[in-house]
Amino acid sequence: MAHQWQGVIREYQDRLPFGPDDEIVTLGEGGTPLVHAPALDEKTGARVYVKVEGVNPTGSFKDRGMTTAISQVLQTDAKMVACASTGNTSASAAAYAVAAGLESAVILPAGKIAAGKLAQAIVHGAHLVAVDGNFDDCLRIARELTDRYPVALVNSVNPYRLQGQKTAAFEIVDALGDAPDIHVLPVGNAGNISAYWMGYSEYAGHTTLASMDETALHLPPVATKTPQMWGVQAWGAAPLVLGHPVKNPETVATAIRIGNPASWKFAEAARDDSGGWIDRVTDDEILAAQAFLASHVGIFIEPGSAASIAGLLKAADAGKIPSGATVVCTVTGNGLKDTATALSGRSLDFTPIEPTLEAVARTLGL
Ligand code: F0G
């Protein structure tokens, strides 16, 4: 029977804090592809799948949490939502605010947002505030602003965000028939690793530090196990690896340029309770992983997302991946959001040639 994907709230309603009669805001997020990547099998000796979150409506995983956060705002008197962002949260908040008939304000670190993400916030009509500071400064201001004014905070410190984001773990178990052995993902503000751990745990029949009371378990378990959670940070923005906040985080992967993650405790619990780890990779490793996925698998991701692939490859080099293990890497955002970084360092010659078949064939070396 024909089925149109209904968005994550309706698809997973029995595991989310919404009733069938609640008004919800959706752009059809979720239901993203889980792509087997033979080129990564070859590099790792495992069976590797890539969860392609860049195909969500605004091009990143943030949409899963924005449908839930903004739907909850509809139950309040707030007419405006606000967030701090390294780019993707602001794009998503701006789009879902439009769908909800709300205004949005996005507080961004000046000069550190990829062009595509900035364009999204602009075309969706967000009130844009560029701050002379980093993401951590922006989040502090967003928290204070939403405490003081009738504006709803839609960063992942809003528990409804993680509720929506946990559905990615549900989809993976639904697709594979059980949880993978290992799940690898990039870590910035640390909401997503916390949300995946919650999703995997709830599907296996137990709750986590981040779980909400209302969604405590009332359904039989779906999975027989939970994966090890492997988190990957950028070298110059790796507070969870170092064990202390980083004052001036720096990385080419601007999406994860964060020095003091809000979900610090949840992420540590995800790491420790799952028997996993959080490591860091260099900017060069991130860019190499981005190029590898584009040229050997066929998926174009943004640098922040490539941290997970870089972390996987680094773990493989260190012999940390059990042979034949099932591994899922989340790639969190679409490469089209930041073409400047993807093209930097490549020599491109677009000098036009004569408009003839012969000239084209000669250029192609045919
Ligand atoms: N990957 C991408 C593409 C992101 O945009 C982010 C976070 C992450 C990974 C890390 O996820 O924060 O849950 O650990 N972006 C946020 C933003 C901070 O403002 O768009 P996290």
Side-chain angles (χ1 to χ4, degrees):
M1 204 167 82
H3 174 70
Q4 161 94 33
W5 180 265
Q6 299 296 307
V8 300
I9 295 179
R10 291 295 181 233
E11 295 290 340
Y12 290 106
Q13 191 159 278
D14 50 359
R15 292 177 182 272
L16 290 171
F18 292 91
D21 299 328
D22 288 339
E23 187 184 353
I24 63 151
V25 183
T26 179
L27 293 171
E29 64 293 319
T32 57
L34 184 67
V35 178
H36 178 219
L40 291 174
D41 292 358
E42 220 166 283
K43 286 260 185 196
T44 60
R47 184 167 176 87
V48 184
Y49 296 87
V50 180
K51 182 68 169 160
V52 188
E53 290 291 276
V55 304
N56 274 297
T58 76
S60 87
F61 71 97
K62 304 288 181 181
D63 297 342
R64 294 180 184 276
M66 214 49 78
T67 182
T68 40
I70 302 260
S71 294
Q72 193 273 332
V73 172
L74 281 187
Q75 299 171 2
T76 73
D77 294 333
K79 297 281 173 276
M80 183 187 270
V81 299
C83 65
S85 183
T86 57
N88 282 323
T89 299
S90 51
S92 186
Y96 281 76
V98 167
L102 299 168
E103 289 195 66
S104 64
V106 302
I107 303 170
L108 310 172
K112 296 293 181 181
I113 305 293
K117 302 175 189 179
L118 201 58
Q120 289 179 287
I122 293 167
V123 299
H124 292 308
H127 299 279
L128 231 102
V129 187
V131 167
D132 183 15
N134 59 35
F135 171 84
D136 306 288
D137 298 312
C138 296
L139 183 56
R140 173 178 47 80
I141 296 165
R143 285 176 188 248
E144 289 169 6
L145 180 83
T146 52
D147 271 352
R148 198 81 66 81
Y149 298 90
V151 178
L153 184 63
V154 294
N155 279 107
S156 57
V157 291
N158 174 336
Y160 282 84
R161 279 280 310 280
L162 301 194
Q163 287 295 311
Q165 286 173 212
K166 75 183 180 184
T167 60
F170 296 164
E171 288 176 20
I172 290 163
V173 175
D174 289 343
L176 296 178
D178 205 343
D181 300 309
I182 296 164
H183 189 107
V184 192
L185 78 177
V187 175
N189 209 25
N192 212 28
I193 190 171
S194 311
Y196 269 88
W197 179 238
M198 175 165 47
Y200 281 125
S201 297
E202 291 183 3
Y203 245 24
H206 36 96
T207 54
T208 67
L209 204 55
S211 294
M212 274 175 102
D213 288 340
E214 305 90 293
T215 61
L217 314 156
H218 54 276
L219 294 165
V222 176
T224 67
K225 58 180 183 178
T226 52
Q228 288 182 20
M229 300 301 299
W230 293 7
V232 189
Q233 300 207 282
W235 199 269
L240 285 159
V241 180
L242 300 173
H244 58 78
V246 173
K247 216 174 166 59
N248 296 305
E250 263 320 330
T251 169
V252 69
T254 52
I256 52 172
R257 185 175 168 272
I258 294 174
N260 192 8
S263 294
W264 190 302
K265 286 274 165 294
F266 293 162
E268 281 184 340
R271 177 194 65 193
D272 298 342
D273 295 348
S274 75
W277 44 258
I278 299 177
D279 195 7
R280 58 177 176 169
V281 291
T282 65
D283 281 0
D284 284 349
E285 288 170 329
I286 286 172
L287 295 175
Q290 180 189 34
F292 183 85
L293 206 68
S295 60
H296 289 80
V297 179
I299 299 171
F300 182 24
I301 59 174
E302 61 166 293
S305 310
S308 67
I309 304 297
L312 175 84
L313 296 175
K314 185 178 175 188
D317 283 346
K320 287 200 215 166
I321 303 182
S323 167
T326 300
V327 181
V328 175
C329 290
T330 298
V331 289
T332 43
N334 199 303
L336 295 171
K337 286 172 176 273
D338 184 6
T339 54
T341 302
L343 295 179
S344 68
R346 291 176 190 254
S347 53
L348 304 168
D349 182 6
F350 285 134
T351 316
I353 56 166
E354 273 172 61
T356 64
L357 171 62
E358 293 72 24
V360 170
R362 203 179 323 120
T363 304
L364 294 174
L366 297 172

PDB file of all heavy atoms in Angstrom, residues 333-363:
ATOM      1  N   GLY A 333      25.088  16.517   8.005  1.00  0.00           N
ATOM      2  CA  GLY A 333      24.635  17.648   7.186  1.00  0.00           C
ATOM      3  C   GLY A 333      25.102  17.564   5.748  1.00  0.00           C
ATOM      4  O   GLY A 333      26.098  16.904   5.417  1.00  0.00           O
ATOM      5  N   ASN A 334      24.395  18.236   4.872  1.00  0.00           N
ATOM      6  CA  ASN A 334      24.606  18.200   3.429  1.00  0.00           C
ATOM      7  C   ASN A 334      25.832  19.016   2.995  1.00  0.00           C
ATOM      8  O   ASN A 334      26.008  20.151   3.450  1.00  0.00           O
ATOM      9  CB  ASN A 334      23.352  18.748   2.756  1.00  0.00           C
ATOM     10  CG  ASN A 334      23.251  18.355   1.306  1.00  0.00           C
ATOM     11  OD1 ASN A 334      24.147  18.635   0.519  1.00  0.00           O
ATOM     12  ND2 ASN A 334      22.170  17.697   0.957  1.00  0.00           N
ATOM     13  N   GLY A 335      26.607  18.454   2.099  1.00  0.00           N
ATOM     14  CA  GLY A 335      27.799  19.144   1.602  1.00  0.00           C
ATOM     15  C   GLY A 335      27.502  20.444   0.882  1.00  0.00           C
ATOM     16  O   GLY A 335      28.349  21.339   0.806  1.00  0.00           O
ATOM     17  N   LEU A 336      26.297  20.562   0.328  1.00  0.00           N
ATOM     18  CA  LEU A 336      25.950  21.769  -0.442  1.00  0.00           C
ATOM     19  C   LEU A 336      25.857  23.016   0.443  1.00  0.00           C
ATOM     20  O   LEU A 336      25.835  24.130  -0.066  1.00  0.00           O
ATOM     21  CB  LEU A 336      24.612  21.554  -1.162  1.00  0.00           C
ATOM     22  CG  LEU A 336      24.637  20.473  -2.237  1.00  0.00           C
ATOM     23  CD1 LEU A 336      23.222  20.179  -2.740  1.00  0.00           C
ATOM     24  CD2 LEU A 336      25.528  20.900  -3.397  1.00  0.00           C
ATOM     25  N   LYS A 337      25.812  22.837   1.730  1.00  0.00           N
ATOM     26  CA  LYS A 337      25.726  23.989   2.639  1.00  0.00           C
ATOM     27  C   LYS A 337      27.023  24.790   2.670  1.00  0.00           C
ATOM     28  O   LYS A 337      27.024  25.954   3.036  1.00  0.00           O
ATOM     29  CB  LYS A 337      25.399  23.518   4.063  1.00  0.00           C
ATOM     30  CG  LYS A 337      23.955  23.075   4.249  1.00  0.00           C
ATOM     31  CD  LYS A 337      23.776  22.434   5.614  1.00  0.00           C
ATOM     32  CE  LYS A 337      22.337  22.066   5.908  1.00  0.00           C
ATOM     33  NZ  LYS A 337      21.553  23.156   6.494  1.00  0.00           N
ATOM     34  N   ASP A 338      28.131  24.126   2.341  1.00  0.00           N
ATOM     35  CA  ASP A 338      29.438  24.775   2.479  1.00  0.00           C
ATOM     36  C   ASP A 338      30.342  24.341   1.324  1.00  0.00           C
ATOM     37  O   ASP A 338      31.285  23.588   1.510  1.00  0.00           O
ATOM     38  CB  ASP A 338      30.058  24.382   3.836  1.00  0.00           C
ATOM     39  CG  ASP A 338      31.378  25.091   4.095  1.00  0.00           C
ATOM     40  OD1 ASP A 338      31.774  25.962   3.290  1.00  0.00           O
ATOM     41  OD2 ASP A 338      32.022  24.762   5.113  1.00  0.00           O
ATOM     42  N   THR A 339      30.031  24.847   0.141  1.00  0.00           N
ATOM     43  CA  THR A 339      30.821  24.442  -1.026  1.00  0.00           C
ATOM     44  C   THR A 339      32.203  25.104  -1.003  1.00  0.00           C
ATOM     45  O   THR A 339      33.157  24.551  -1.541  1.00  0.00           O
ATOM     46  CB  THR A 339      30.096  24.788  -2.336  1.00  0.00           C
ATOM     47  OG1 THR A 339      29.754  26.180  -2.315  1.00  0.00           O
ATOM     48  CG2 THR A 339      28.843  23.955  -2.507  1.00  0.00           C
ATOM     49  N   ALA A 340      32.311  26.258  -0.362  1.00  0.00           N
ATOM     50  CA  ALA A 340      33.596  26.974  -0.354  1.00  0.00           C
ATOM     51  C   ALA A 340      34.679  26.114   0.291  1.00  0.00           C
ATOM     52  O   ALA A 340      35.786  25.978  -0.243  1.00  0.00           O
ATOM     53  CB  ALA A 340      33.455  28.303   0.386  1.00  0.00           C
ATOM     54  N   THR A 341      34.360  25.505   1.438  1.00  0.00           N
ATOM     55  CA  THR A 341      35.359  24.673   2.117  1.00  0.00           C
ATOM     56  C   THR A 341      35.682  23.426   1.288  1.00  0.00           C
ATOM     57  O   THR A 341      36.836  23.020   1.181  1.00  0.00           O
ATOM     58  CB  THR A 341      34.862  24.272   3.518  1.00  0.00           C
ATOM     59  OG1 THR A 341      34.584  25.465   4.249  1.00  0.00           O
ATOM     60  CG2 THR A 341      35.880  23.454   4.268  1.00  0.00           C
ATOM     61  N   ALA A 342      34.640  22.846   0.682  1.00  0.00           N
ATOM     62  CA  ALA A 342      34.860  21.618  -0.099  1.00  0.00           C
ATOM     63  C   ALA A 342      35.772  21.882  -1.302  1.00  0.00           C
ATOM     64  O   ALA A 342      36.516  20.996  -1.724  1.00  0.00           O
ATOM     65  CB  ALA A 342      33.521  21.049  -0.564  1.00  0.00           C
ATOM     66  N   LEU A 343      35.700  23.075  -1.849  1.00  0.00           N
ATOM     67  CA  LEU A 343      36.478  23.377  -3.058  1.00  0.00           C
ATOM     68  C   LEU A 343      37.828  24.018  -2.748  1.00  0.00           C
ATOM     69  O   LEU A 343      38.681  24.086  -3.633  1.00  0.00           O
ATOM     70  CB  LEU A 343      35.672  24.292  -3.988  1.00  0.00           C
ATOM     71  CG  LEU A 343      34.394  23.674  -4.572  1.00  0.00           C
ATOM     72  CD1 LEU A 343      33.662  24.678  -5.447  1.00  0.00           C
ATOM     73  CD2 LEU A 343      34.721  22.412  -5.367  1.00  0.00           C
ATOM     74  N   SER A 344      38.001  24.475  -1.529  1.00  0.00           N
ATOM     75  CA  SER A 344      39.258  25.171  -1.219  1.00  0.00           C
ATOM     76  C   SER A 344      40.417  24.183  -1.337  1.00  0.00           C
ATOM     77  O   SER A 344      40.296  23.013  -0.988  1.00  0.00           O
ATOM     78  CB  SER A 344      39.218  25.772   0.184  1.00  0.00           C
ATOM     79  OG  SER A 344      39.212  24.738   1.137  1.00  0.00           O
ATOM     80  N   GLY A 345      41.519  24.633  -1.858  1.00  0.00           N
ATOM     81  CA  GLY A 345      42.676  23.750  -2.011  1.00  0.00           C
ATOM     82  C   GLY A 345      42.620  22.896  -3.258  1.00  0.00           C
ATOM     83  O   GLY A 345      43.518  22.102  -3.504  1.00  0.00           O
ATOM     84  N   ARG A 346      41.551  23.016  -4.056  1.00  0.00           N
ATOM     85  CA  ARG A 346      41.511  22.278  -5.325  1.00  0.00           C
ATOM     86  C   ARG A 346      41.847  23.252  -6.445  1.00  0.00           C
ATOM     87  O   ARG A 346      41.371  24.382  -6.432  1.00  0.00           O
ATOM     88  CB  ARG A 346      40.119  21.704  -5.584  1.00  0.00           C
ATOM     89  CG  ARG A 346      39.772  20.582  -4.631  1.00  0.00           C
ATOM     90  CD  ARG A 346      38.349  20.123  -4.871  1.00  0.00           C
ATOM     91  NE  ARG A 346      37.922  19.221  -3.811  1.00  0.00           N
ATOM     92  CZ  ARG A 346      37.792  17.902  -3.974  1.00  0.00           C
ATOM     93  NH1 ARG A 346      38.009  17.336  -5.141  1.00  0.00           N
ATOM     94  NH2 ARG A 346      37.416  17.145  -2.962  1.00  0.00           N
ATOM     95  N   SER A 347      42.629  22.798  -7.410  1.00  0.00           N
ATOM     96  CA  SER A 347      42.900  23.706  -8.531  1.00  0.00           C
ATOM     97  C   SER A 347      41.844  23.465  -9.611  1.00  0.00           C
ATOM     98  O   SER A 347      41.690  22.356 -10.115  1.00  0.00           O
ATOM     99  CB  SER A 347      44.307  23.472  -9.076  1.00  0.00           C
ATOM    100  OG  SER A 347      44.463  22.110  -9.375  1.00  0.00           O
ATOM    101  N   LEU A 348      41.099  24.502  -9.884  1.00  0.00           N
ATOM    102  CA  LEU A 348      39.987  24.391 -10.827  1.00  0.00           C
ATOM    103  C   LEU A 348      40.277  25.277 -12.027  1.00  0.00           C
ATOM    104  O   LEU A 348      40.558  26.455 -11.873  1.00  0.00           O
ATOM    105  CB  LEU A 348      38.688  24.862 -10.157  1.00  0.00           C
ATOM    106  CG  LEU A 348      38.320  24.136  -8.864  1.00  0.00           C
ATOM    107  CD1 LEU A 348      37.209  24.859  -8.132  1.00  0.00           C
ATOM    108  CD2 LEU A 348      37.902  22.711  -9.166  1.00  0.00           C
ATOM    109  N   ASP A 349      40.198  24.689 -13.215  1.00  0.00           N
ATOM    110  CA  ASP A 349      40.413  25.485 -14.419  1.00  0.00           C
ATOM    111  C   ASP A 349      39.122  25.499 -15.230  1.00  0.00           C
ATOM    112  O   ASP A 349      38.747  24.492 -15.834  1.00  0.00           O
ATOM    113  CB  ASP A 349      41.563  24.891 -15.244  1.00  0.00           C
ATOM    114  CG  ASP A 349      41.822  25.745 -16.488  1.00  0.00           C
ATOM    115  OD1 ASP A 349      41.197  26.823 -16.617  1.00  0.00           O
ATOM    116  OD2 ASP A 349      42.648  25.328 -17.325  1.00  0.00           O
ATOM    117  N   PHE A 350      38.445  26.629 -15.202  1.00  0.00           N
ATOM    118  CA  PHE A 350      37.182  26.748 -15.937  1.00  0.00           C
ATOM    119  C   PHE A 350      37.350  27.609 -17.190  1.00  0.00           C
ATOM    120  O   PHE A 350      36.402  28.211 -17.653  1.00  0.00           O
ATOM    121  CB  PHE A 350      36.085  27.341 -15.040  1.00  0.00           C
ATOM    122  CG  PHE A 350      35.559  26.346 -14.034  1.00  0.00           C
ATOM    123  CD1 PHE A 350      35.381  26.715 -12.698  1.00  0.00           C
ATOM    124  CD2 PHE A 350      35.241  25.050 -14.399  1.00  0.00           C
ATOM    125  CE1 PHE A 350      34.892  25.807 -11.764  1.00  0.00           C
ATOM    126  CE2 PHE A 350      34.750  24.131 -13.478  1.00  0.00           C
ATOM    127  CZ  PHE A 350      34.581  24.517 -12.147  1.00  0.00           C
ATOM    128  N   THR A 351      38.568  27.672 -17.719  1.00  0.00           N
ATOM    129  CA  THR A 351      38.776  28.453 -18.944  1.00  0.00           C
ATOM    130  C   THR A 351      37.943  27.831 -20.069  1.00  0.00           C
ATOM    131  O   THR A 351      38.090  26.635 -20.357  1.00  0.00           O
ATOM    132  CB  THR A 351      40.265  28.425 -19.361  1.00  0.00           C
ATOM    133  OG1 THR A 351      41.043  28.636 -18.195  1.00  0.00           O
ATOM    134  CG2 THR A 351      40.549  29.485 -20.399  1.00  0.00           C
ATOM    135  N   PRO A 352      37.036  28.614 -20.685  1.00  0.00           N
ATOM    136  CA  PRO A 352      36.161  28.030 -21.714  1.00  0.00           C
ATOM    137  C   PRO A 352      36.954  27.611 -22.965  1.00  0.00           C
ATOM    138  O   PRO A 352      37.981  28.208 -23.272  1.00  0.00           O
ATOM    139  CB  PRO A 352      35.195  29.162 -22.066  1.00  0.00           C
ATOM    140  CG  PRO A 352      35.492  30.283 -21.155  1.00  0.00           C
ATOM    141  CD  PRO A 352      36.782  30.046 -20.459  1.00  0.00           C
ATOM    142  N   ILE A 353      36.442  26.584 -23.627  1.00  0.00           N
ATOM    143  CA  ILE A 353      37.062  26.130 -24.873  1.00  0.00           C
ATOM    144  C   ILE A 353      36.095  26.391 -26.021  1.00  0.00           C
ATOM    145  O   ILE A 353      34.942  26.782 -25.800  1.00  0.00           O
ATOM    146  CB  ILE A 353      37.413  24.627 -24.813  1.00  0.00           C
ATOM    147  CG1 ILE A 353      36.162  23.797 -24.476  1.00  0.00           C
ATOM    148  CG2 ILE A 353      38.516  24.382 -23.792  1.00  0.00           C
ATOM    149  CD1 ILE A 353      36.315  22.322 -24.728  1.00  0.00           C
ATOM    150  N   GLU A 354      36.545  26.163 -27.245  1.00  0.00           N
ATOM    151  CA  GLU A 354      35.685  26.301 -28.449  1.00  0.00           C
ATOM    152  C   GLU A 354      34.447  25.418 -28.315  1.00  0.00           C
ATOM    153  O   GLU A 354      34.566  24.296 -27.819  1.00  0.00           O
ATOM    154  CB  GLU A 354      36.419  25.692 -29.647  1.00  0.00           C
ATOM    155  CG  GLU A 354      37.355  26.509 -30.423  1.00  0.00           C
ATOM    156  CD  GLU A 354      38.054  25.547 -31.397  1.00  0.00           C
ATOM    157  OE1 GLU A 354      37.346  24.942 -32.235  1.00  0.00           O
ATOM    158  OE2 GLU A 354      39.280  25.381 -31.240  1.00  0.00           O
ATOM    159  N   PRO A 355      33.295  25.864 -28.818  1.00  0.00           N
ATOM    160  CA  PRO A 355      32.061  25.057 -28.706  1.00  0.00           C
ATOM    161  C   PRO A 355      31.971  23.984 -29.792  1.00  0.00           C
ATOM    162  O   PRO A 355      31.043  23.991 -30.616  1.00  0.00           O
ATOM    163  CB  PRO A 355      30.950  26.112 -28.841  1.00  0.00           C
ATOM    164  CG  PRO A 355      31.545  27.163 -29.717  1.00  0.00           C
ATOM    165  CD  PRO A 355      33.032  27.181 -29.426  1.00  0.00           C
ATOM    166  N   THR A 356      32.933  23.066 -29.824  1.00  0.00           N
ATOM    167  CA  THR A 356      32.884  21.987 -30.820  1.00  0.00           C
ATOM    168  C   THR A 356      33.094  20.643 -30.134  1.00  0.00           C
ATOM    169  O   THR A 356      33.721  20.564 -29.075  1.00  0.00           O
ATOM    170  CB  THR A 356      34.008  22.143 -31.881  1.00  0.00           C
ATOM    171  OG1 THR A 356      35.268  22.002 -31.203  1.00  0.00           O
ATOM    172  CG2 THR A 356      33.934  23.485 -32.592  1.00  0.00           C
ATOM    173  N   LEU A 357      32.552  19.591 -30.763  1.00  0.00           N
ATOM    174  CA  LEU A 357      32.733  18.226 -30.252  1.00  0.00           C
ATOM    175  C   LEU A 357      34.218  17.886 -30.158  1.00  0.00           C
ATOM    176  O   LEU A 357      34.676  17.312 -29.164  1.00  0.00           O
ATOM    177  CB  LEU A 357      32.016  17.238 -31.184  1.00  0.00           C
ATOM    178  CG  LEU A 357      32.293  15.755 -30.904  1.00  0.00           C
ATOM    179  CD1 LEU A 357      31.809  15.356 -29.518  1.00  0.00           C
ATOM    180  CD2 LEU A 357      31.644  14.884 -31.976  1.00  0.00           C
ATOM    181  N   GLU A 358      34.961  18.285 -31.179  1.00  0.00           N
ATOM    182  CA  GLU A 358      36.382  17.943 -31.223  1.00  0.00           C
ATOM    183  C   GLU A 358      37.109  18.531 -30.018  1.00  0.00           C
ATOM    184  O   GLU A 358      37.907  17.852 -29.360  1.00  0.00           O
ATOM    185  CB  GLU A 358      37.035  18.458 -32.518  1.00  0.00           C
ATOM    186  CG  GLU A 358      36.552  17.775 -33.792  1.00  0.00           C
ATOM    187  CD  GLU A 358      35.123  18.160 -34.193  1.00  0.00           C
ATOM    188  OE1 GLU A 358      34.647  19.254 -33.796  1.00  0.00           O
ATOM    189  OE2 GLU A 358      34.462  17.345 -34.872  1.00  0.00           O
ATOM    190  N   ALA A 359      36.832  19.785 -29.737  1.00  0.00           N
ATOM    191  CA  ALA A 359      37.519  20.452 -28.627  1.00  0.00           C
ATOM    192  C   ALA A 359      37.168  19.788 -27.297  1.00  0.00           C
ATOM    193  O   ALA A 359      38.027  19.580 -26.436  1.00  0.00           O
ATOM    194  CB  ALA A 359      37.158  21.923 -28.603  1.00  0.00           C
ATOM    195  N   VAL A 360      35.896  19.420 -27.125  1.00  0.00           N
ATOM    196  CA  VAL A 360      35.465  18.767 -25.879  1.00  0.00           C
ATOM    197  C   VAL A 360      36.130  17.395 -25.755  1.00  0.00           C
ATOM    198  O   VAL A 360      36.669  17.050 -24.699  1.00  0.00           O
ATOM    199  CB  VAL A 360      33.922  18.638 -25.823  1.00  0.00           C
ATOM    200  CG1 VAL A 360      33.496  17.763 -24.657  1.00  0.00           C
ATOM    201  CG2 VAL A 360      33.268  20.010 -25.718  1.00  0.00           C
ATOM    202  N   ALA A 361      36.136  16.635 -26.847  1.00  0.00           N
ATOM    203  CA  ALA A 361      36.733  15.302 -26.814  1.00  0.00           C
ATOM    204  C   ALA A 361      38.226  15.393 -26.514  1.00  0.00           C
ATOM    205  O   ALA A 361      38.763  14.599 -25.726  1.00  0.00           O
ATOM    206  CB  ALA A 361      36.494  14.586 -28.152  1.00  0.00           C
ATOM    207  N   ARG A 362      38.875  16.382 -27.113  1.00  0.00           N
ATOM    208  CA  ARG A 362      40.325  16.574 -26.869  1.00  0.00           C
ATOM    209  C   ARG A 362      40.550  16.877 -25.386  1.00  0.00           C
ATOM    210  O   ARG A 362      41.432  16.297 -24.742  1.00  0.00           O
ATOM    211  CB  ARG A 362      40.839  17.713 -27.753  1.00  0.00           C
ATOM    212  CG  ARG A 362      42.335  17.654 -28.015  1.00  0.00           C
ATOM    213  CD  ARG A 362      42.823  18.797 -28.910  1.00  0.00           C
ATOM    214  NE  ARG A 362      41.915  19.196 -29.971  1.00  0.00           N
ATOM    215  CZ  ARG A 362      41.386  20.413 -30.104  1.00  0.00           C
ATOM    216  NH1 ARG A 362      41.644  21.375 -29.238  1.00  0.00           N
ATOM    217  NH2 ARG A 362      40.543  20.692 -31.111  1.00  0.00           N
ATOM    218  N   THR A 363      39.721  17.755 -24.832  1.00  0.00           N
ATOM    219  CA  THR A 363      39.859  18.123 -23.417  1.00  0.00           C
ATOM    220  C   THR A 363      39.675  16.899 -22.516  1.00  0.00           C
ATOM    221  O   THR A 363      40.323  16.780 -21.482  1.00  0.00           O
ATOM    222  CB  THR A 363      38.828  19.209 -23.050  1.00  0.00           C
ATOM    223  OG1 THR A 363      39.008  20.302 -23.945  1.00  0.00           O
ATOM    224  CG2 THR A 363      38.988  19.683 -21.631  1.00  0.00           C
TER     225      THR A 363
END
